[in-house]
Amino acid sequence: QKEVEQNSGPLSVPEGAIASLNCTYSDRGSQSFFWYRQYSGKSPELIMSIYSNGDKEDGRFTAQLNKASQYVSLLIRDSQPSDSATYLCASDRGSTLGRLYFGRGTQLTVWP
Amino acid sequence: GAVVSQHPSWVICKSGTSVKIECRSLDFQATTMFWYRQFPKQSLMLMATSNEGSKATYEQGVEKDKFLINHASLTLSTLTVTSAHPEDSSFYICSARTGSLYEQYFGPGTRLTVT
């Protein structure tokens, strides 16, 4: 069983729309959750971290966490073509080593 | 803040040679550094976790004698691919974390091509 699963996509939205990316996790011991953005040919970039149930907003990005449902999501408001990338969901493995589980990523395309 | 650098950004080497990749945390002390490999259109694969002054912890299936990791200081970790073969050609990315947080900050990656 994969520890972190994401919609494989690809997801395509028009410019200005809301893009919704979803992720579920299987390890109930996970406490920290992250969204990374990875442009083609580049390394991942941390865009959001969330630790508590509820919503966390940062600019156009909102992360949502529901530990009871083991569900994490990322909303991107007013999507821009520059948001076109692969979005990786990650959760901690609950160990002192600090390793993360990564999902396979969802490819997002924002068309003008 | 939280900037991680890698060197070189790309390298081409001949089969059978060894290649060393450096990973540095530039503006923070990294309690732990991680090495990943990513093949085209695939997700990140964690290879190993390293802490300063101790032996690296390798993931299952990763050959520790082939992928040598040295974590000499709180700001520097190196990955040496020994006796490289064409199947080792990949995108190698390091990341680092500081303190007790799980957030990882990634370096820009090193693209290795073995001919």
Side-chain angles (χ1 to χ4, degrees):
Chain A
Q1 180 183 4
K2 292 192 169 77
E3 288 79 13
V4 176
E5 297 211 38
Q6 298 183 242
N7 311 42
S8 58
L11 176 65
S12 181
V13 301
E15 184 175 357
I18 295 175
S20 177
L21 303 158
N22 304 313
C23 170
T24 58
Y25 62 95
S26 61
D27 187 346
R28 284 200 171 273
S30 296
Q31 297 293 319
S32 310
F33 304 88
F34 308 96
W35 284 98
Y36 286 85
R37 176 176 62 198
Q38 186 174 23
Y39 291 113
S40 180
K42 302 294 185 182
S43 66
E45 173 192 8
L46 178 65
I47 54 172
M48 289 287 283
S49 56
I50 187 165
Y51 303 93
S52 305
N53 277 328
D55 296 357
K56 179 180 178 183
E57 188 174 313
D58 184 0
R60 296 185 297 111
F61 299 98
T62 300
Q64 299 174 318
L65 172 61
N66 183 324
K67 291 186 179 179
S69 301
Q70 295 177 251
Y71 177 89
V72 190
S73 66
L74 179 70
L75 299 177
I76 306 175
R77 290 182 301 282
D78 188 24
S79 296
Q80 301 296 310
S82 57
D83 295 326
S84 298
T86 296
Y87 289 79
L88 302 171
C89 174
S91 70
D92 71 86
R93 298 194 190 191
S95 76
T96 55
L97 291 178
R99 295 176 299 170
L100 299 178
Y101 295 118
F102 279 91
R104 296 179 62 84
T106 299
Q107 187 177 342
L108 170 67
T109 300
V110 181
W111 45 276
Chain B
V3 179
V4 178
S5 71
Q6 265 183 260
H7 179 79
S9 54
W10 60 271
V11 57
I12 301 173
C13 70
K14 292 188 176 180
S15 187
T17 62
S18 295
V19 173
K20 180 186 283 190
I21 302 169
E22 287 189 354
C23 176
R24 292 181 186 272
S25 57
L26 297 184
D27 54 0
F28 66 100
Q29 292 187 324
T31 51
T32 312
M33 287 184 168
F34 307 85
W35 288 95
Y36 295 84
R37 181 165 57 177
Q38 188 175 39
F39 293 105
K41 299 198 182 297
Q42 293 189 23
S43 191
L44 296 170
M45 188 195 85
L46 178 65
M47 300 174 67
T49 302
S50 75
N51 292 287
E52 183 254 347
S54 60
K55 289 185 180 180
T57 301
Y58 290 82
E59 295 299 301
Q60 192 172 8
V62 177
E63 300 173 59
K64 58 182 68 176
D65 293 331
K66 180 170 183 62
F67 298 100
L68 300 179
I69 291 170
N70 183 275
H71 196 147
S73 74
L74 285 173
T75 59
L76 172 64
S77 176
T78 60
L79 168 68
T80 301
V81 183
T82 63
S83 187
H85 289 98
E87 57 266 31
D88 298 323
S89 298
S90 187
F91 191 40
Y92 291 86
I93 316 171
C94 73
S95 70
R97 67 184 277 247
T98 182
S100 59
L101 296 177
Y102 281 97
E103 294 173 350
Q104 290 184 22
Y105 298 92
F106 284 85
T110 297
R111 201 161 297 281
L112 170 64
T113 301
V114 184
T115 62

